[in-house]
Amino acid sequence: MLMCRWLAYSGSPMLLDAVLYQPEHSLINQSLHAKMGVETTNGDGFGIGWYSTDGDGTPAVFRDIGPAWSNRNLRELASHIRSQLFFAHVRASTGSAIQQTNCHPFRHGRWMWMHNGAITDFARLQRDLCMAVDPALFPCIEGSTDSEVMFYLAVTYGLDQDVPGAVGRMAGLVERLGKEHGVADPLQMTVAVSDGERVWAFRYSSQGRSRSLFYSSRAETVRQLYPELPFLREVSDATRLVVSEPLGDLPGVWNELPEASYVVVPLEGPADYLPFIPELP
């Protein structure tokens, strides 16, 4: 079970440091002083993943098992890596092993994935869930977390063709197996997934009381509200952040994603978010 904090950034190329360290309630601050998570401290490993504008379309990842707040290598990398799309995750484990292969984000080809939440009684469902993973993908699972199994189930169910559908079928399988095994409220998740061009962020739980998830207002709107913020002068109107909890307390900047919904960045259509409905695979 994982109760963590994460963020996803998409927009104008930005130094990771500007998002990970500089805000008032940055993700690094949240690794010690989370306000809205199950755990206040998220020190059981961390990870960053980023896409390069001149790369081959696959993300790079850096993960470690120590706390993010004291990692000198993370601080060094964050002040030198500039990316138009990146993920960052700080981990609080409540069961699975503290090891690099259990740290987020996970990647497969051009895809990157991170998760906050849990599959309830994962040990009871694990065999059946793993048996549903495409046999060609099963050797790619390196760790022991429910999060990584969820990722490879989504890849199995067509992440390349239909991201919301693939995540919905993954969630539907967890719900069905939970019911078969007598597990009440089997799924709790906020998930971010990217192919290097877009970010999809999902908020859902069987219980209907999901972990917190927020997305930032359009940069143009925030720029009008807070013209004195220098970082906003550098970013395009399409720039967005999706976060487990807000990076500061400025009114009008953060919008809570409703229960059972998802958002796509850059936005596709007039609605900021769309309904998320699990379905049987």
Side-chain angles (χ1 to χ4, degrees), residues 42-47 63-71 91 98 103:
N42 299 272
D44 296 329
F46 67 87
R63 304 181 294 180
D64 206 353
I65 60 173
W69 65 78
S70 62
N71 191 283
R91 183 171 185 249
I98 300 171
C103 293

Side-chain angles (χ1 to χ4, degrees), residues 217-229 232 250-254:
S217 298
R218 291 177 177 83
E220 180 184 10
T221 301
V222 181
R223 197 180 290 119
Q224 291 172 353
L225 288 170
Y226 304 100
E228 71 279 6
L229 297 179
L232 289 172
L250 296 175
V253 174
W254 301 104

Side-chain angles (χ1 to χ4, degrees), residues 175-254:
E175 295 280 19
R176 190 192 80 194
L177 290 175
K179 184 177 181 180
E180 291 177 0
H181 286 268
V183 177
D185 304 321
L187 185 57
Q188 172 73 246
M189 72 174 207
T190 62
V191 163
V193 59
S194 179
D195 61 356
E197 297 181 4
R198 288 170 289 180
V199 175
W200 291 260
F202 300 84
R203 185 182 185 215
Y204 175 80
S205 66
S206 310
Q207 204 172 15
R209 294 202 296 271
S210 302
R211 304 294 176 232
S212 58
L213 195 63
F214 299 81
Y215 62 100
S216 62
S217 298
R218 291 177 177 83
E220 180 184 10
T221 301
V222 181
R223 197 180 290 119
Q224 291 172 353
L225 288 170
Y226 304 100
E228 71 279 6
L229 297 179
F231 128 86
L232 289 172
R233 300 185 199 122
E234 305 172 19
V235 301
S236 69
D237 290 341
T239 297
R240 290 290 186 104
L241 277 158
V242 185
V243 297
S244 293
E245 61 183 74
L247 306 185
D249 297 326
L250 296 175
V253 174
W254 301 104

Side-chain angles (χ1 to χ4, degrees), residues 15 35 67 86 105 149 173 177 182 198 210 257 277:
L15 280 174
K35 299 176 181 178
F86 58 86
V149 172
L173 178 67
L177 290 175
R198 288 170 289 180
S210 302
L257 198 65
I277 303 171

Side-chain angles (χ1 to χ4, degrees), residues 80 94 121 169 187 252 263 278:
H80 287 80
T94 56
D121 287 341
R169 289 185 282 276
L187 185 57
V263 65

Side-chain angles (χ1 to χ4, degrees), residues 2 63 89 91 96-97 99-108 113-119 122 126 129-130 133 137-156 159 170 191:
L2 298 175
R63 304 181 294 180
H89 187 282
R91 183 171 185 249
S96 54
Q99 59 193 46
Q100 278 194 18
T101 53
N102 283 348
C103 293
H104 305 221
F106 303 102
R107 70 174 173 190
H108 178 75
W113 173 283
M114 60 184 173
H115 168 233
N116 173 36
I119 294 177
F122 177 57
Q126 185 174 8
L129 289 169
C130 287
V133 173
L137 294 171
F138 188 78
C140 301
I141 300 175
E142 297 183 317
S144 59
T145 65
D146 50 3
S147 305
E148 191 177 18
V149 172
M150 291 164 65
F151 177 32
Y152 281 101
L153 283 168
V155 176
T156 297
L159 201 62
M170 175 277 294
V191 163

